[in-house]
Amino acid sequence: MSQQLLPQGNSNDILTAYLVEYESIWAEVYARFDNQRQSFNYLVTLLAAIAGLLASNTVQLEPKVFFWLPLIISAFAFIFFDNELIIWGIVNYTRIHLHNKVAEVVGDENVLLLERQRFIDRRTSTIHRLLSLGRWLLFIVPDIASILYATYKTEMWWKSPYILLFAANCLVVGLLLWTVIHAIKQQSIWRAFLELKP
């Protein structure tokens, strides 16, 4: 029968080991935050460039060009949401494992729970949640709008190659929506935990 290995030594040594692990995994979180910021900045730059072209009188974009836009945006979206899911996985690990272990050592249930004191009131937390959701929508709404616009404006869109692009775009948007749903579930679990009284 396997036996669970527990840290050996005095409380200071055990606490140091947990804090080293905490620092290591959150260094990864901060790196993933940087990846998210980069992908979001690239997305905003791309959308701004397209908006500038649409507003220009010198360049006329054919509707069929917009069949390609969701595929380009999806590259940034996959980077963003891949990091999003991993970040919430790390946060969940911190809550389940590190928080409980460190709280046991130091005798403080609020240790490693900065999020509980981060927002002044519930309204601030709600605003932050809406802003996060708005950032996610920026990866999805342009995709859906591009598909609808290209389909409506392109003649014979149901023939090759446009029907293949349409199918690929629908697959990409469906995957992104599925990812968003799971990310929202992860956030809801975390926020429900934060709202519990210590």
Side-chain angles (χ1 to χ4, degrees):
M1 184 170 66
S2 62
Q3 183 175 4
Q4 185 178 6
L5 296 178
L6 298 175
Q8 301 295 327
N10 60 42
S11 297
N12 288 336
D13 293 337
I14 295 173
L15 179 60
T16 300
Y18 285 138
L19 293 180
V20 168
E21 182 183 8
Y22 179 82
E23 182 179 357
S24 175
I25 63 176
W26 278 90
E28 179 183 351
V29 169
Y30 296 141
R32 291 184 178 277
F33 280 149
D34 287 337
N35 289 337
Q36 283 189 310
R37 279 191 289 268
Q38 290 179 2
S39 61
F40 185 78
N41 290 339
Y42 291 149
L43 172 67
V44 172
T45 301
L46 173 64
L47 295 179
I50 294 174
L53 290 175
L54 292 176
S56 174
N57 294 325
T58 59
V59 179
Q60 296 294 329
L61 295 178
E62 296 184 10
K64 60 185 179 182
V65 172
F66 288 88
F67 276 119
W68 296 96
L69 183 59
L71 299 179
I72 298 174
I73 293 178
S74 66
F76 304 134
F78 289 148
I79 294 173
F80 182 91
F81 285 109
D82 174 70
N83 284 287
E84 186 76 18
L85 293 178
I86 296 298
I87 287 171
W88 285 111
I90 293 175
V91 168
N92 189 54
Y93 171 79
T94 303
R95 174 178 67 88
I96 294 176
H97 175 67
L98 285 181
H99 164 256
N100 292 337
K101 296 297 184 181
V102 175
E104 182 179 350
V105 173
V106 302
D108 182 3
E109 288 295 325
N110 288 318
V111 69
L112 303 185
L113 289 180
L114 171 64
E115 296 291 338
R116 274 186 174 165
Q117 288 82 31
R118 172 164 291 181
F119 300 111
I120 299 175
D121 53 29
R122 186 181 297 271
R123 287 176 296 180
T124 306
S125 177
T126 301
I127 292 173
H128 178 264
R129 188 181 311 180
L130 293 176
L131 290 175
S132 296
L133 181 60
R135 184 175 60 169
W136 294 354
L137 291 177
L138 199 58
F139 286 97
I140 297 175
V141 173
D143 287 350
I144 297 176
S146 297
I147 295 172
L148 294 177
Y149 176 76
T151 303
Y152 179 74
K153 290 290 187 177
T154 302
E155 296 182 0
M156 309 290 286
W157 66 268
W158 55 88
K159 292 188 176 182
S160 181
Y162 303 121
I163 187 61
L164 298 178
L165 291 173
F166 177 81
N169 290 333
C170 291
L171 181 63
V172 165
V173 171
L175 179 58
L176 290 178
L177 289 174
W178 189 28
T179 304
V180 168
I181 291 173
H182 281 278
I184 290 175
K185 288 181 179 179
Q186 291 292 327
Q187 268 205 18
S188 299
I189 293 172
W190 175 242
R191 293 181 187 278
F193 169 73
L194 294 178
E195 291 174 359
L196 294 176
K197 295 295 184 180

